[in-house]
Amino acid sequence: MGIYAVKTTASQEQTVADMIINREESEVHAALAPDSLTSYVMVESDGHAVLERVLEEIPHARSIVPGESDISEVEHFLSPKPDVEGIAEGDIVELIAGPFKGEKAQVQRIDEGKDQVTVELYEATVPIPVTVRGDQIRVLDSDER
C-alpha cells in the first residue's frame, strides 16, 4: 500500500478527489486535495495499477507522478494550521469580520489553544481589549519583518 500523487487539471483537485472516493473501489483507501497543493491530489491505494485503472474513468485526472510517497511526506497536510500562526504580539492588524470590521488594532495577547487573539483598537479613546478569533484579523505590519 502506498501514497501516490495524481496530476490534475488546475482548480479541479477537490472534484477529482471526490470522484476517486465516490467510486468506492476497495483497493483505494483515501484521497486528499490540500489547498496548498495546486494541481495535485494525494491518493492512498494498494498499488499503482489499481490507481491507473480507477483514473481512466475520471475526467481532469491527468497522470500519476512516478514513485510512491511516504506518510511522513504528506502528514503535514493532515493537521490544520492554526489561524493565529504567524501573528506576534505587537503586530498591527485589521479586523476583517465582526462588529469592529475595518478597524485597525495592535495585538496584545495570543491564545493558540483557543485560536484567539486579544487586540487593542487604535481609534478607541479608551483602550479596550477585544478578543477575536484568529480568522477575523489580517496582519498589516509585523515587528519581526
Side-chain angles (χ1 to χ4, degrees), residues 73-90:
E73 294 176 292
V74 295
E75 65 187 354
H76 65 279
F77 294 125
L78 302 175
S79 56
K81 195 172 97 177
D83 292 321
V84 296
E85 193 172 292
I87 299 172
E89 288 183 15

Side-chain angles (χ1 to χ4, degrees), residues 36-53:
S36 57
L37 200 60
T38 309
S39 299
Y40 289 95
V41 172
M42 303 306 293
V43 181
E44 182 181 26
S45 102
D46 286 344
H48 194 275
V50 172
L51 193 54
E52 274 185 0
R53 188 184 73 232

